[in-house]
């Protein structure tokens, strides 16, 4: 009588494949919900609520962690108006949708995703090239609505095209970029000198 060992049986491997696939699928679902909970705005200290746009945000070296971390400080409402949680969420969401609709990611990188033609925007709210805190919002607003007239290439020779961004969309984009600057990105970008660091020199 010729008996095939269990481990060599076709039936055994079919059943094993079904069980492994089923368990992997369930694990993927659990991990997806777990990840979504951890990356949702306001769910953890690493990803702040949208209302963080009402605060001053900086990015400093934490000696204990040996990496750069966002620092949320005193009140500094965007465009001089303190927004409720709902208003802040609406404005940041408009900015995110505008970022997606205008395909900004085709040239820029944000939070590790995108292209490398134009500057990384993860901490662009804190970029020292905005000159100073008092003028930053005005300069960003003017630049987004008229990139050619307010060109800021800083020696790269690259220019942002006019994407037809409205004032409301520009304000949303600025809110979105201020919010992303407050996200703890595990020290990325490293050694990034912020606008405040330049002002204090």
């Amino acid at each position: 009588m010729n008996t095939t060992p269990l481990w060599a049986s076709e039936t055994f491997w079919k059943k094993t494949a079904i069980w492994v696939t089923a368990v992997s699928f369930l694990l993927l679902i659990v991990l997806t919900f777990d990840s979504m909970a951890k990356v949702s705005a306001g769910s953890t200290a690493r990803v702040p609520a949208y209302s963080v746009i009402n605060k001053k945000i900086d990015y400093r070296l934490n000696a204990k962690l040996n990496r750069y971390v966002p620092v949320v400080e005193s009140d500094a409402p965007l465009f001089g108006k303190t927004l409720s949680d709902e208003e802040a969420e609406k404005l940041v969401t408009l900015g995110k949708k505008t970022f997606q609709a205008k395909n900004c990611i085709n040239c820029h990188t944000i939070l590790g995703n995108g292209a490398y033609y134009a500057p990384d925007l993860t901490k662009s709210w804190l970029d020292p090239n905005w000159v100073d805190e008092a003028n930053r919002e005005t300069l960003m607003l003017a630049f987004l609505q008229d990139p050619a007239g307010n060109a800021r290439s800083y020696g790269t020779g690259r220019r942002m095209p006019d994407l037809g961004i409205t004032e409301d969309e520009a304000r949303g984009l600025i809110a979105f970029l201020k919010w992303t600057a407050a996200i703890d990105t595990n020290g990325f970008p490293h050694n990034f000198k912020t606008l405040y660091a330049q002002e204090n020199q």
Side-chain angles (χ1 to χ4, degrees):
M1 182 172 157
N2 186 14
T3 58
T4 305
L6 180 64
W7 58 267
S9 163
E10 184 180 338
T11 305
F12 169 76
W13 287 110
K14 282 182 179 177
K15 288 179 180 177
T16 300
I18 291 168
W19 276 104
V20 168
T21 302
V23 169
S24 298
F25 181 70
L26 289 173
L27 185 60
L28 180 63
I29 290 172
V30 169
L31 290 174
T32 298
F33 280 105
D34 181 62
S35 296
M36 292 300 290
K38 289 183 175 156
V39 299
S40 297
S43 60
T44 65
R46 294 179 66 105
V47 185
Y50 297 121
S51 58
V52 77
I53 65 173
N54 291 317
K55 300 287 184 182
K56 179 179 177 181
I57 299 161
D58 201 356
Y59 188 64
R60 296 189 201 132
L61 179 66
N62 182 315
K64 185 178 177 183
L65 297 174
N66 195 31
R67 65 179 170 87
Y68 284 78
V69 296
V71 178
V72 179
E73 299 179 313
S74 57
D75 290 341
L78 196 58
F79 305 112
K81 180 186 175 193
T82 301
L83 302 176
S84 68
D85 291 347
E86 294 78 21
E87 290 171 325
E89 181 176 359
K90 185 177 178 183
L91 190 59
V92 173
T93 300
L94 171 63
K96 182 181 179 190
K97 288 180 177 178
T98 302
F99 189 88
Q100 292 167 334
K102 302 296 182 179
N103 291 318
C104 300
I105 208 163
N106 284 354
C107 294
H108 296 277
T109 303
I110 192 162
L111 299 171
N113 296 301
Y116 296 94
Y117 179 77
D120 185 302
L121 298 180
T122 306
K123 303 293 181 194
S124 62
W125 169 257
L126 299 169
D127 195 313
N129 291 317
W130 295 118
V131 185
D132 60 55
E133 184 180 7
N135 294 308
R136 171 178 44 203
E137 291 170 16
T138 305
L139 290 171
M140 290 179 87
L141 204 56
F143 173 69
L144 288 169
Q145 292 177 89
D146 180 17
N150 298 280
R152 307 179 77 77
S153 69
Y154 305 105
T156 65
R158 297 172 183 171
R159 296 283 189 264
M160 179 172 155
D162 188 343
L163 300 173
I165 296 171
T166 66
E167 182 175 345
D168 286 343
E169 289 171 336
R171 287 174 181 270
L173 275 167
I174 294 166
F176 175 61
L177 294 173
K178 185 174 184 181
W179 175 70
T180 60
I183 296 173
D184 187 345
T185 53
N186 284 325
F188 174 81
H190 186 65
N191 280 332
F192 177 77
K193 299 297 182 192
T194 72
L195 173 67
Y196 305 114
Q198 304 298 317
E199 286 182 339
N200 294 332
Q201 285 182 351

